[in-house]
Amino acid sequence: MTENNLRLVGYCGLYCGLCAHRARIPKRAMSLKETLHDEGMNFWYKYVPSMKETFPIFWKFLNQLTKMDCTCRTGGGPPDCKIRICAKEKRVDTCPLCKEYLCELISNLAEHYVMAIQDGRHLQKIGLKAWVKEQEKRAKRGVVYADTRIPWKK
């Protein structure tokens, strides 16, 4: 598959188009930014002592949220991601295509991303190209992993 087709396919087998960081957060950040702008907050914060120093930092952060476009293929995510390192070492486009799938790394990930294993097995069954098309359809319907993800505990 071409790199363009793989652009939103994580090494782990998750589809980045279903990530809230891509599908939900930028839209909500833009909505908040527009609301704050419409209310004049990006101008009058200067006259509120408690906001004078912090609002510009917040505004910059909000702007960054509107442009989130990380994928593990473009340097997004933790730089020391064991799954990405392993997939690159084994020269697989995505873990479900690895002969050692289902490994401990993916099993650990699936403790939080409950659809990961089923999606990976489905990818194996129908092939990467057809699987990407299905994921694109899910994304259009508004499916995001955050709705089914089990949070990590600190």
Side-chain angles (χ1 to χ4, degrees):
M1 252 186 117
T2 68
E3 190 60 33
N4 192 41
N5 292 334
L6 288 170
R7 188 175 68 84
L8 296 180
V9 178
Y11 287 105
C12 61
L14 295 175
Y15 184 70
C16 299
L18 302 181
C19 178
H21 291 272
R22 170 180 293 281
R24 185 178 287 162
I25 292 172
K27 292 174 188 168
R28 291 187 178 174
M30 183 56 81
S31 177
L32 177 58
K33 183 180 169 189
E34 289 169 357
T35 299
L36 292 171
H37 174 75
D38 290 348
E39 296 299 324
M41 287 196 65
N42 57 325
F43 301 112
W44 68 262
Y45 76 88
K46 299 171 190 170
Y47 306 106
V48 181
S50 64
M51 296 178 118
K52 196 170 187 174
E53 290 183 30
T54 57
F55 190 86
I57 296 166
F58 165 74
W59 195 253
K60 183 178 179 180
F61 173 69
L62 192 57
N63 278 323
Q64 289 172 332
L65 287 178
T66 67
K67 300 172 188 166
M68 286 186 75
D69 189 24
C70 75
T71 69
C72 59
R73 295 185 187 280
T74 61
D80 60 344
C81 174
K82 292 177 183 177
I83 294 172
R84 175 176 34 205
I85 292 167
C86 180
K88 283 183 167 188
E89 286 174 356
K90 293 182 178 177
R91 298 174 191 232
V92 294
D93 288 330
T94 186
C95 291
L97 300 178
C98 178
K99 64 181 178 178
E100 296 176 32
Y101 188 83
L102 178 67
C103 69
E104 184 179 350
L105 292 173
I106 298 302
S107 294
N108 290 340
L109 177 73
E111 289 179 18
H112 304 284
Y113 288 91
V114 297
M115 296 187 301
I117 293 172
Q118 287 73 18
D119 277 355
R121 289 188 175 139
H122 188 61
L123 185 154
Q124 290 172 327
K125 186 188 250 182
I126 67 170
L128 189 54
K129 192 172 184 177
W131 184 83
V132 167
K133 286 183 180 181
E134 285 186 1
Q135 302 316 302
E136 290 169 347
K137 289 177 184 176
R138 288 168 89 185
K140 284 181 184 175
R141 289 194 322 265
V143 173
V144 291
Y145 291 121
D147 293 337
T148 59
R149 183 175 49 89
I150 298 168
W152 277 268
K153 293 184 181 177
K154 294 181 181 183

